[in-house]
Amino acid sequence: MKKTILLTALVLNGLTLFAQSNDEKNIKLFYKKALTEAKCYSWLEYLSNDIGSRLSGSKGAAEAVEYTKRQLESIGLDKVYLQEVMVPHWVRGEKETAYILDGKVKTNVPICALGGSVATPKTGLTAEIIEVQGIKELAELGTDKVKGKIVFYNRPMNPENIETFTSYGACVDQRYAGAKEAAKLGAVGTIVRSMNLRLDDFPHTGAQSYGDLPKEQYIPTAAISTNGAELLSKTLKANPALKFYFKQSCETLPDVLSHNVVGELTGTVSPENIMVVGGHLDSWDLADGSHDDGAGVVQSMEAIRILKNLNYKPKNTIRVVLFMNEENGGKGGAKYEEISKQNKENHIFALESDSGGFSPRGFSIEADDVNLKKIQGFKDFFEPYLVHSFTIGHAGSDISHLTSKAIVKAGLKPDSQRYFDYHHAANDKFDAINKRELELGAATMTSLLYLIDQTGIVIPAAN
Amino acid sequence: MKKTILLTALVLNGLTLFAQSNDEKNIKLFYKKALTEAKCYSWLEYLSNDIGSRLSGSKGAAEAVEYTKRQLESIGLDKVYLQEVMVPHWVRGEKETAYILDGKVKTNVPICALGGSVATPKTGLTAEIIEVQGIKELAELGTDKVKGKIVFYNRPMNPENIETFTSYGACVDQRYAGAKEAAKLGAVGTIVRSMNLRLDDFPHTGAQSYGDLPKEQYIPTAAISTNGAELLSKTLKANPALKFYFKQSCETLPDVLSHNVVGELTGTVSPENIMVVGGHLDSWDLADGSHDDGAGVVQSMEAIRILKNLNYKPKNTIRVVLFMNEENGGKGGAKYEEISKQNKENHIFALESDSGGFSPRGFSIEADDVNLKKIQGFKDFFEPYLVHSFTIGHAGSDISHLTSKAIVKAGLKPDSQRYFDYHHAANDKFDAINKRELELGAATMTSLLYLIDQTGIVIPAAN
């Protein structure tokens, strides 16, 4: 396939060298500003400690929309506006309770309802419980062995993978589709081992879907802490006939109106070419979502703040988008794309930060070979900042909706070792954030935005 | 200078490829074992939570010697033994108190005595206080402006450096030599801003030295938390005549007998060539020293445990050394070298972990160009584990004593962003450790030990 260079002038060697040196200086400046005068940490403190959790449809989510809009307005961008979007409104209700009933011995275990789950009966649900390592094993058991029971999905995240997201991806089907599959076989509920590499007492919530199951077949589903899962598994081995009790009162209310928050620096050369940088405003309800994805929100805001503050005039339009409803519906990302299509917009690049506010290690890139190599060609710029990894991989849920013809996507890739200690759990709070790590991530994002804005992406030739 | 290759056979291309593939497999195995069955985390839990702080001369330090010796014995090494070493015995005494006295308003601020400091008078010390940004500024002020006052060193760590150790190195003279220099000008005490990039309420202790000052000129010196330093500086600007009060009852007792702990896997080809892997057993007294340097201790033990557990027969002798007294004297490192010299030992390689138990990012290397390039040639082996940085730099305090002719030294380089949040402060505790990060560091150390053992180092030719 023939390629042509978009927005990139051919330059003589001398000029290239000058430009390179200028880029190095600018990138150094981005990091300096991020480490000495960034606002992202104080923004995140407000989002986490003053607003708190921000599940779609909640008061916190609405406050976060207003707060971040005000902050973007204070930066002095060319445009700041909201995009209306209807979002699901699931509420947890009372704190869940659960115990193992082994003969007459009751042992409490920490659980939390999974997002989108139905409630148990008001007095709770007691049944025998059967452990499986996944949906495949469940299917092999068949209806006879499952009917009337609670299914306990207990496949742990694989500790051998270096990138923890790999282990998450290999486990999360139990959480997302476990209830649906168990319901088909007549199970009365499911309990899922938390997506957590540590052994601790925090149950981790997250999205689940009943898919195309008729509503009357929905069964309640909850996550159990990893320590709870270990205990349950051990106790079950000793007494396979034990019973499990859990009670939850969550419910799905009618959809509510919410918003994406958008801010723009209009391009000075090709304003029709749009570069998005974003994260998602909503969080789960158990904590403040400081890592998921408060960090990504404030880093995206910081990236555009740094550029504006330096009076940088982007060639392309740079747009910060704070998406609503990534966690349980993806309605914000879908709405953004819908409006973008209506407006016949052309996105050339999208950058998302939704993997926590830890030390930046690189980018996870969705691009063809030519653009991947182009971005990998920036490696030397990032070396002084210990940002080394530029590999093909998932860039981000919110920007996954974007379908412009030649778009390149990237996700900030922070160090992933601690991420699942906090992910969707009650400890995803501001004190788990390190200011410098957050700021370094913001500077890393600013630098990639800048380099792409300066050099463009490679698009397939029309012929 | 001519070079010859030590221990490295010339091999045909095919064999090289085979060997490479074998190395890759072995390294993968090291990481797998570290992430699935390591003992380092539970060892560290014991060191931190059962033993606790381990300042030289303390009960904790003695217990740590016994505990780690027992654990090394349980691994089944060829030799495990102690090396006697006399160490300083400084004790903090009662918890320190300090306040700013601004007119009649007393505001308490968190301080802690610096290691090796003398006490204040029993009722404390009150004096005017003068802020400087460092020893140079102090010298310019001269005796007239300093005499009878407390000197407040307030130069912060520079947030612009990406590697936080760079900022530490550029600040720590205030802590180490600040009291000595202030005493020379007639100051009655010094207060030093904690070596911490965060603003928080933890004072950070650390070594200080009066150098060749006569004992009667020693003045008490303490660290103040960064928040305390900010407050003091601000209050001083408004009222330069304010007074500062502090009280501490620390003292230096007679030296006591302590130990380095040593374990060995004897080399099967060149047992006379010794490779050291180590960290330091002692910690400061304010917390459990989980990062500094419990992490390095258990990672070093883990590295040799993994090799032994895999029944690896090293070509060279691999020796784990848990040094005593790195924090306030370096007597363990010096004693190790002294004994090594007596025994006419030849060290070819030394690897230290003393920069915290965070995600491993690479190694800081002390080597000539040829050996540096050799180690950098291992980069591809480490790429799958996101270990990228192989640069010249300080390898470690304990191994700095080693003076074998052709020794190559390396320090594990973990992510440094969070290190000074905890360094020498009351929050350097087990809950600041992430199990996987600790284990990844251990695997990274194991891999470098293995690669050096397999391929040797390049030594200068005799002629």
Side-chain angles (χ1 to χ4, degrees):
Chain A
M1 192 162 52
K2 276 175 65 181
K3 306 267 173 179
T4 60
I5 307 284
L6 176 73
L7 298 178
T8 308
L10 288 173
V11 286
L12 298 173
N13 260 347
L15 189 53
T16 307
L17 284 174
F18 171 77
Q20 170 124 338
S21 157
N22 217 32
D23 289 342
E24 283 171 9
K25 276 189 215 156
N26 283 333
I27 289 171
K28 189 167 183 183
L29 196 53
F30 301 152
Y31 278 91
K32 177 177 173 167
K33 288 187 87 72
L35 289 169
T36 57
E37 56 172 77
K39 298 203 166 181
C40 52
Y41 190 68
S42 58
W43 282 333
L44 185 56
E45 185 172 17
Y46 191 92
L47 272 181
S48 299
N49 292 340
D50 292 80
I51 293 178
S53 73
R54 302 175 298 280
L55 188 58
S56 290
S58 68
K59 185 163 162 281
E63 286 175 4
V65 166
E66 291 308 315
Y67 173 69
T68 51
K69 178 166 178 276
R70 277 200 311 278
Q71 296 308 313
L72 288 178
E73 284 165 350
S74 76
I75 293 173
L77 301 179
D78 297 319
K79 290 184 196 168
V80 177
Y81 54 95
L82 302 182
Q83 289 181 332
E84 293 192 347
V85 54
M86 294 301 291
V87 295
H89 188 199
W90 178 83
V91 292
R92 183 170 302 279
E94 285 172 25
K95 188 166 167 50
E96 304 83 347
T97 54
Y99 53 77
I100 301 167
L101 189 59
D102 182 11
K104 290 193 173 166
V105 181
K106 282 185 190 178
T107 309
N108 289 323
V109 285
I111 66 155
C112 66
L114 291 179
S117 175
V118 293
T120 58
K122 280 208 169 63
T123 54
L125 171 65
T126 307
E128 282 191 22
I129 184 162
I130 183 165
E131 176 177 342
V132 294
Q133 297 303 301
I135 289 169
K136 188 159 167 279
E137 184 185 341
L138 180 81
E140 286 161 6
L141 288 178
T143 307
D144 279 2
K145 292 191 176 152
V146 172
K147 194 164 187 176
K149 291 181 185 161
I150 296 167
V151 171
F152 168 36
Y153 290 102
N154 193 30
R155 182 165 86 260
M157 287 176 74
N158 183 351
E160 291 178 35
N161 295 310
I162 304 302
E163 310 253 26
T164 60
F165 284 92
T166 309
S167 304
Y168 179 66
C171 258
V172 72
D173 64 322
Q174 300 173 102
R175 188 196 78 203
Y176 190 75
K180 179 185 72 174
E181 297 303 328
K184 287 180 187 167
L185 300 179
V188 295
T190 66
I191 295 293
V192 185
R193 182 189 182 98
S194 286
M195 304 292 128
N196 179 5
L197 282 148
R198 284 205 297 203
L199 292 176
D200 66 26
D201 297 319
F202 293 103
H204 292 225
T205 190
Q208 73 88 30
S209 167
Y210 297 113
D212 53 5
L213 217 58
K215 272 198 175 170
E216 61 276 14
Q217 289 181 31
Y218 289 6
I219 57 174
T221 177
I224 186 170
S225 73
T226 46
N227 275 339
E230 293 286 301
L231 177 70
L232 176 55
S233 180
K234 190 177 141 196
T235 317
L236 258 177
K237 278 184 186 64
N239 176 14
L242 67 76
K243 296 196 170 177
F244 192 85
Y245 167 88
F246 73 117
K247 187 174 83 155
Q248 56 193 32
S249 58
C250 45
E251 59 180 321
T252 299
L253 304 175
D255 286 1
V256 298
L257 179 65
S258 186
H259 303 87
N260 295 327
V261 181
V262 186
E264 272 184 33
L265 280 180
T266 307
T268 55
V269 176
S270 308
E272 72 283 7
N273 290 328
I274 296 168
M275 300 173 58
V276 161
V277 57
H280 64 85
L281 263 182
D282 63 310
S283 76
W284 278 104
D285 58 326
L286 294 173
D288 308 323
S290 299
H291 278 293
D292 187 11
D293 183 29
V297 163
V298 299
Q299 287 175 324
S300 300
M301 292 165 69
E302 186 64 51
I304 205 164
R305 189 200 71 81
I306 288 173
L307 294 174
K308 172 64 187 172
N309 183 269
L310 287 168
N311 203 24
Y312 177 69
K313 304 293 184 195
K315 295 179 178 180
N316 309 285
T317 293
I318 298 182
R319 187 182 279 174
V320 57
V321 185
L322 312 178
F323 297 92
M324 184 51 66
N325 187 231
E326 188 272 346
E327 292 295 4
N328 59 339
K331 300 295 185 191
K335 175 59 75 173
Y336 177 84
E337 166 67 1
E338 183 190 321
I339 294 172
S340 170
K341 268 196 172 158
Q342 281 167 7
N343 295 339
K344 299 192 166 50
E345 289 178 348
N346 179 44
H347 285 78
I348 60 167
F349 182 62
L351 171 59
E352 181 155 358
S353 169
D354 185 20
S355 302
F358 303 94
S359 274
R361 306 295 304 269
F363 293 98
S364 186
I365 299 161
E366 294 178 22
D368 58 15
D369 278 358
V370 176
N371 281 296
L372 175 66
K373 288 217 175 72
K374 177 186 162 65
I375 293 179
Q376 288 172 336
F378 296 147
K379 269 190 176 183
D380 286 352
F381 288 119
F382 289 97
E383 173 72 33
Y385 310 101
L386 303 179
V387 172
H388 297 101
S389 179
F390 298 79
T391 51
I392 284 288
H394 177 66
S397 294
D398 295 295
I399 60 175
S400 71
H401 299 273
L402 291 172
T403 56
S404 288
K405 197 174 163 196
I407 190 168
V408 168
K409 298 177 185 176
L412 181 70
K413 200 164 132 182
D415 195 287
S416 75
Q417 300 311 322
R418 292 172 183 244
Y419 187 64
F420 291 96
D421 295 357
Y422 307 110
H423 183 244
H424 298 180
N427 56 345
D428 184 3
K429 296 170 82 166
F430 189 64
D431 63 7
I433 298 282
N434 176 280
K435 181 172 179 282
R436 289 176 58 83
E437 294 180 356
L438 185 77
E439 291 165 348
L440 286 167
T444 303
M445 293 167 69
T446 312
S447 302
L448 185 59
L449 274 178
Y450 164 83
L451 288 168
I452 300 272
D453 183 56
Q454 284 291 305
T455 63
I457 62 166
V458 184
I459 53 168
N463 55 337
Chain B
M1 192 162 55
K2 276 175 66 182
K3 307 267 174 179
T4 60
I5 306 285
L6 177 73
L7 298 177
T8 307
L10 287 172
V11 287
L12 298 173
N13 259 346
L15 189 53
T16 307
L17 284 173
F18 172 77
Q20 169 124 340
S21 157
N22 218 32
D23 290 342
E24 282 171 10
K25 276 188 214 155
N26 284 333
I27 289 171
K28 189 167 183 183
L29 196 53
F30 302 151
Y31 277 92
K32 177 177 173 168
K33 288 187 87 73
L35 289 169
T36 58
E37 55 172 76
K39 297 203 167 181
C40 53
Y41 190 69
S42 58
W43 282 333
L44 185 56
E45 185 172 16
Y46 191 92
L47 272 181
S48 300
N49 292 340
D50 292 80
I51 294 178
S53 73
R54 303 174 298 280
L55 188 58
S56 290
S58 69
K59 185 163 163 280
E63 287 176 3
V65 166
E66 291 308 315
Y67 173 69
T68 51
K69 178 166 178 276
R70 277 201 310 278
Q71 297 308 313
L72 288 178
E73 284 165 349
S74 76
I75 293 172
L77 301 179
D78 297 319
K79 290 183 195 167
V80 177
Y81 54 95
L82 302 182
Q83 289 181 332
E84 293 192 347
V85 54
M86 295 301 292
V87 295
H89 189 198
W90 178 84
V91 292
R92 182 170 302 280
E94 285 173 24
K95 188 165 166 52
E96 304 83 347
T97 54
Y99 53 77
I100 301 167
L101 189 59
D102 183 9
K104 291 193 171 167
V105 181
K106 282 185 190 178
T107 309
N108 289 322
V109 285
I111 66 155
C112 66
L114 291 179
S117 175
V118 293
T120 58
K122 280 207 169 65
T123 54
L125 171 65
T126 307
E128 282 191 22
I129 185 162
I130 183 166
E131 176 176 342
V132 294
Q133 296 304 300
I135 289 170
K136 188 159 166 278
E137 184 185 341
L138 181 80
E140 286 162 5
L141 287 177
T143 307
D144 279 2
K145 292 191 175 153
V146 172
K147 194 164 187 175
K149 291 181 185 161
I150 297 168
V151 171
F152 169 35
Y153 290 102
N154 194 29
R155 182 164 86 259
M157 287 176 73
N158 182 352
E160 291 177 34
N161 295 311
I162 304 302
E163 309 254 25
T164 60
F165 284 91
T166 309
S167 303
Y168 179 66
C171 258
V172 72
D173 64 323
Q174 301 173 101
R175 188 195 77 203
Y176 190 74
K180 179 184 71 175
E181 297 303 328
K184 287 180 187 167
L185 300 179
V188 295
T190 66
I191 295 293
V192 185
R193 183 190 182 98
S194 286
M195 304 291 128
N196 178 5
L197 282 148
R198 282 206 297 204
L199 292 176
D200 66 25
D201 297 319
F202 293 103
H204 292 225
T205 190
Q208 73 87 30
S209 167
Y210 297 113
D212 52 5
L213 217 58
K215 273 199 175 170
E216 61 276 14
Q217 288 181 30
Y218 289 7
I219 58 173
T221 176
I224 186 170
S225 72
T226 46
N227 275 338
E230 293 286 301
L231 178 69
L232 176 54
S233 180
K234 189 177 142 196
T235 317
L236 258 177
K237 278 184 186 65
N239 176 13
L242 67 75
K243 296 197 170 176
F244 191 85
Y245 167 88
F246 73 117
K247 188 175 82 155
Q248 56 193 33
S249 58
C250 45
E251 59 180 320
T252 299
L253 305 174
D255 286 2
V256 298
L257 179 65
S258 186
H259 303 85
N260 295 327
V261 181
V262 186
E264 273 185 32
L265 279 180
T266 307
T268 55
V269 176
S270 309
E272 72 283 7
N273 290 327
I274 296 168
M275 301 173 58
V276 161
V277 57
H280 64 85
L281 262 183
D282 63 310
S283 76
W284 278 104
D285 59 326
L286 294 173
D288 309 323
S290 299
H291 278 294
D292 186 12
D293 183 29
V297 163
V298 299
Q299 286 175 324
S300 300
M301 294 165 68
E302 186 64 52
I304 206 164
R305 189 199 71 82
I306 288 173
L307 294 174
K308 172 64 187 171
N309 183 270
L310 287 169
N311 202 25
Y312 178 68
K313 304 292 184 196
K315 296 179 178 179
N316 310 286
T317 293
I318 297 182
R319 188 182 278 173
V320 57
V321 185
L322 312 178
F323 297 93
M324 185 51 67
N325 187 230
E326 188 272 346
E327 293 295 4
N328 58 338
K331 300 295 186 192
K335 175 59 76 174
Y336 177 84
E337 166 66 1
E338 183 190 321
I339 294 172
S340 170
K341 268 194 172 159
Q342 282 167 7
N343 295 339
K344 298 193 167 50
E345 289 178 347
N346 179 43
H347 285 79
I348 61 167
F349 181 63
L351 171 59
E352 181 154 357
S353 168
D354 184 20
S355 302
F358 302 95
S359 274
R361 306 295 304 269
F363 294 97
S364 185
I365 299 160
E366 294 177 23
D368 58 14
D369 278 358
V370 176
N371 281 296
L372 176 66
K373 288 217 174 72
K374 177 186 162 66
I375 293 180
Q376 288 172 336
F378 296 148
K379 269 190 176 183
D380 286 353
F381 288 120
F382 288 97
E383 173 72 33
Y385 309 101
L386 303 179
V387 173
H388 298 101
S389 179
F390 298 78
T391 51
I392 283 288
H394 177 67
S397 294
D398 295 295
I399 60 175
S400 71
H401 299 273
L402 291 171
T403 56
S404 288
K405 197 173 162 197
I407 190 167
V408 168
K409 298 177 185 176
L412 181 69
K413 199 164 131 181
D415 195 288
S416 75
Q417 299 311 322
R418 292 173 184 244
Y419 187 64
F420 291 96
D421 296 356
Y422 306 110
H423 183 245
H424 298 181
N427 57 344
D428 184 3
K429 297 171 81 167
F430 189 64
D431 63 6
I433 299 282
N434 175 281
K435 180 172 179 282
R436 289 176 57 83
E437 294 180 357
L438 184 76
E439 291 165 349
L440 286 167
T444 303
M445 293 167 69
T446 311
S447 302
L448 185 59
L449 275 178
Y450 164 83
L451 288 168
I452 300 271
D453 183 56
Q454 284 291 306
T455 64
I457 62 166
V458 184
I459 53 168
N463 55 337

